[in-house]
Amino acid sequence: MIGLLAAGLACGTKAPAITGVTITVTFPASSGVDQLALGVSQGGTTIADMPRPKGAGAALASPQSVSIFLADALADMDVTCTATGLAGGVAVTATGTATAHLALHQLVPVTIDLAAGDAAVPEDAGGDAPATGGAGGSGGTGGSAGAGGDMGAGGSDAGALKANGVACLSGGECDSTQCVDGVCCGSVCNGKCESCNQKGNEGTCTPLAAGTPTTECVDQGTATCGFDGTCDGNGACRKYGAGTPCKVASCDTSTYMPASACDGQGVCVAPNSVSCAPYLCDASGGAPACRTTCQVGGVGCATPAVCTAGSCGARVLKANGDGCVAAGDCTSNHCVDGVCCETACAGTCMACNVPGFAGLCHAVPAGKTDPRNVCKDAGAASCKQNGLCNGAGACALYPASTTCFAGACSVGMVIATRRCDGAGTCAAAPSVDCAPYRCNPATTTCFASCTTNAQCSTVPKRKCNGNNMCQ
């Protein structure tokens, strides 16, 4: 089955009683069709016109079914449905057509045979005339779909609602009422870096893996230290990692300014400047650095130093906290995090350039990135390390407020949202039976009233009455 094709209602929204058509398309297996160009028009006006799936890929199996939701105002009118088989974006079949007589709050089945070029539509609930052609028969090879469901390759039972993770065309097929990314889903995937069809987690909105490219996260460039164009593994856009260069090194007479780097939190951090005295800083070679030699009568020495035998004199060793480039710059013989440091300071979440403590090996403040890159982000679902420091010289865990499992709907139940306990565990949470209503996947709470039967439980089966109550 191909994913839902909707006019005015996006896949992933709750499906109420729907007016529209379900087009089942058959085509020769040898044609190599990998997309279907589908359209609906009324009175010469195009209502829907787009390919499904969106991008070309593997060859499709015949038949394929797609539901197109239309405005209720079109009920009791005739529409023309068209289908063309594409391979690599190029038409490889003739365009098949069929005429359907729309019925209010029903998905009228239509069959288009691209091999024979004819199509068929069964009589609607009001007994109106069928469409032209007849090779496909009523409902095509897959059988007809009722008002609450769609047809797929091989057919489907309009009355049987599917569990989360099962392939779908529209929300009307799913107990959760949500068809997201081609599967029945327990909730609406609202994040920029989430999907509902990831292997092993089908049916649950799950963050995309860290580093997954997405157009939802526009690359903001290294100079900003903002989004890098990929996902962070926790359902959000990833920022440029700690240590990513964001500003080039430069010289100012006898002062060397090392390159600035991102802190992993979206800030471009400038390091301490380094004094080159008694030498000048030299940027002439394209790589700024403190000079180590000079020429008599030429450039190289900072005033008042004088070049003698190629030397401006011994460089003054720097005290702890002063900017440095190498260990030999410091009296302590330790150049750590861009400053002269009292020790090698190699511990987890320890640094020698913590504001207010420059030159001392001090714990990195809570919420900052570990400069030693020991604290790897294990992902919110794990409730383990979040990639940051805890302020006490150790890796921080995801706090107790972190969602480790987003609430979901399943077979009329609310599977409650779970949160980290702050100690590395995703705490359990009770489920709630919504009967006589169903679970609302938009809020992952039980419906309290109804406007359609789709909001009432199926086990036991209930219907929405005139008082907006399921009974």
Side-chain angles (χ1 to χ4, degrees):
M1 290 186 283
I2 309 177
L4 173 67
L5 193 163
L9 183 64
C11 182
T13 58
K14 181 173 64 63
I18 295 165
T19 301
V21 293
T22 294
I23 305 175
T24 297
V25 186
T26 58
F27 45 87
S30 60
S31 63
V33 169
D34 57 18
Q35 280 181 296
L36 294 174
L38 300 165
V40 178
S41 61
Q42 199 281 324
T45 300
T46 299
I47 302 171
D49 182 14
M50 62 276 281
R52 281 298 184 272
K54 292 182 179 179
L60 301 174
S62 176
Q64 292 287 335
S65 293
V66 178
S67 289
I68 303 178
F69 297 170
L70 304 173
D72 287 348
L74 294 173
D76 209 32
M77 295 184 182
D78 289 335
V79 295
T80 299
C81 304
T82 61
T84 305
L86 308 178
V90 178
V92 293
T93 71
T95 297
T97 63
T99 301
H101 187 82
L102 300 180
L104 183 64
H105 293 169
Q106 292 189 38
L107 287 171
V108 177
V110 178
T111 298
I112 298 178
D113 185 349
L114 297 182
D118 49 22
V121 179
E123 295 184 357
D124 64 17
D128 292 287
T132 59
S138 175
T141 60
S144 61
D150 297 314
M151 294 186 298
S156 64
D157 181 357
L161 295 174
K162 298 177 180 178
N164 294 340
V166 178
C168 61
L169 294 175
S170 73
E173 297 179 54
C174 306
D175 180 80
S176 68
T177 74
Q178 296 291 322
C179 182
V180 181
D181 301 318
V183 299
C184 292
C185 193
S187 60
V188 179
C189 296
N190 291 320
K192 292 182 177 181
C193 286
E194 295 181 328
S195 71
C196 208
N197 61 355
Q198 294 188 60
K199 187 174 182 180
N201 291 295
E202 294 89 345
T204 300
C205 286
T206 306
L208 295 173
T212 302
T214 172
T215 55
E216 294 291 330
C217 300
V218 177
D219 190 337
Q220 296 175 328
T222 56
T224 69
C225 292
F227 299 149
D228 68 358
T230 69
C231 299
D232 68 356
N234 295 315
C237 299
R238 185 172 71 178
K239 294 178 180 178
Y240 278 96
T244 302
C246 52
K247 185 178 180 181
V248 298
S250 62
C251 284
D252 182 8
T253 61
S254 62
T255 300
Y256 167 67
M257 178 59 72
S260 299
C262 300
D263 68 352
Q265 307 302 308
V267 178
C268 184
V269 179
N272 287 18
S273 60
V274 178
S275 174
C276 298
Y279 292 89
L280 292 175
C281 183
D282 182 13
S284 61
C290 290
R291 294 181 63 92
T292 57
T293 63
C294 62
Q295 295 176 347
V296 176
V299 298
C301 299
T303 305
V306 176
C307 184
T308 303
S311 173
C312 296
R315 291 188 63 187
V316 178
L317 294 181
K318 298 175 176 61
N320 290 343
D322 290 342
C324 60
V325 176
D329 297 337
C330 308
T331 56
S332 65
N333 202 37
H334 295 294
C335 182
V336 182
D337 302 316
V339 298
C340 292
C341 189
E342 59 178 348
T343 67
C345 199
T348 300
C349 284
M350 301 296 289
C352 220
N353 61 350
V354 175
F357 300 93
L360 303 176
C361 190
H362 195 275
V364 174
K368 296 295 184 180
T369 304
D370 175 23
R372 311 296 170 246
N373 203 28
V374 174
C375 300
K376 302 290 187 180
D377 189 346
S382 72
C383 292
K384 306 296 184 183
Q385 294 179 185
N386 64 2
L388 305 175
C389 297
N390 67 358
C395 300
L397 302 178
Y398 276 92
S401 59
T402 304
T403 298
C404 49
F405 175 80
C409 296
S410 178
V411 196
M413 302 285 290
V414 174
I415 309 301
T417 298
R418 298 171 63 186
R419 303 188 187 280
C420 299
D421 64 0
T425 300
C426 187
S431 298
V432 177
D433 189 344
C434 292
Y437 297 94
R438 287 171 74 174
C439 176
N440 181 355
T443 60
T444 57
T445 60
C446 297
F447 283 109
S449 61
C450 63
T451 55
T452 72
N453 291 340
Q455 295 164 341
C456 298
S457 69
T458 55
V459 183
K461 189 173 182 62
R462 303 294 179 92
K463 293 185 177 180
C464 187
N465 63 22
N467 295 321
N468 302 113
M469 298 177 64
C470 294
Q471 63 177 22

